[in-house]
Amino acid sequence: MVAVRSRLAAAMGVVALLVAVLTGTAAGAASAAPQTPQAPQTSKAPQASRTPQASRAAQGTAVAQDASGWICPGTPIPDGYVITSRGANGCNGAGSWYIQPAQSGLWICATSPIPPGYVLTLHTANGCNANIDTWFMELARDGQYVCAGSPIPSGYVLTGHISTGCGGIGIWYQQLARVGEYICPGVPIPAGFRADAFNASMCSGLGGWLLLAA
């Protein structure tokens, strides 16, 4: 299991959301961090026991697809599952993590994968039953503010920015891509579109590129 990202690292702009942060095509990790886009590119759980169930963790094998439960560090997390709590005394003192199926409206730990189609909309630095970074995960929808570093799902673009949102990390306004929108710098251009003229006043003063049909 990867080390827990600190709140300080998030504030310094270290992005730990893997490739999904920019492409929205793969699951990332829930350590979102502020981003400064550049130019456009085409393209809750029970208390942990001291020893989690051996069938789920001892052999380092994946937890069954239809079962939530505590796992030890290094255990593969099945597709579609997220980490929602930390048990400091689990796994004989190594610490354990509680996994459950992803759904909209969950707080997930900073070490959790983010399944495709989900975004991060809130942040706290002292959650996950362990005083570590924790993110509120929701299904993506049109007209939604997301935390800086949140994955950009396929077909969506960012069109506005507020630097003080999401606990000071910053938030971005996310919309479905449409002809005539101005998208913020650095946002991937969805299939079927192209970027045209640049307007320095768009994206809350960061500048924006006009989105046209390809």
Side-chain angles (χ1 to χ4, degrees), residues 3-147:
V4 174
R5 271 53 168 200
S6 68
R7 176 72 170 84
L8 178 59
M12 293 176 64
V14 177
V15 178
L17 289 173
L18 305 180
V19 179
V21 174
L22 295 177
T23 65
T25 59
S31 294
Q35 295 179 335
T36 302
Q38 304 301 318
Q41 305 173 30
T42 302
S43 37
K44 296 249 183 162
Q47 181 66 34
S49 62
R50 180 167 296 273
T51 304
Q53 299 179 27
S55 62
R56 292 176 177 168
Q59 303 302 321
T61 56
V63 175
Q65 288 278 329
D66 60 351
S68 301
W70 293 97
I71 63 172
C72 293
T75 303
I77 299 173
D79 291 342
Y81 275 66
V82 292
I83 300 172
T84 56
S85 190
R86 166 77 169 167
N89 296 323
C91 295
N92 297 319
S96 57
W97 301 95
Y98 191 82
I99 65 170
Q100 65 185 88
Q103 65 183 55
S104 191
L106 282 180
W107 284 96
I108 62 174
C109 303
T111 51
S112 177
I114 306 171
Y118 287 91
V119 293
L120 307 176
T121 58
L122 294 171
H123 170 258
T124 177
N126 54 3
C128 203
N129 196 38
N131 292 324
I132 61 176
D133 287 300
T134 310
W135 305 89
F136 192 68
M137 185 181 75
E138 297 184 80
L139 283 171
R141 64 179 185 272
D142 190 25
Q144 175 183 38
Y145 278 102
V146 300
C147 295

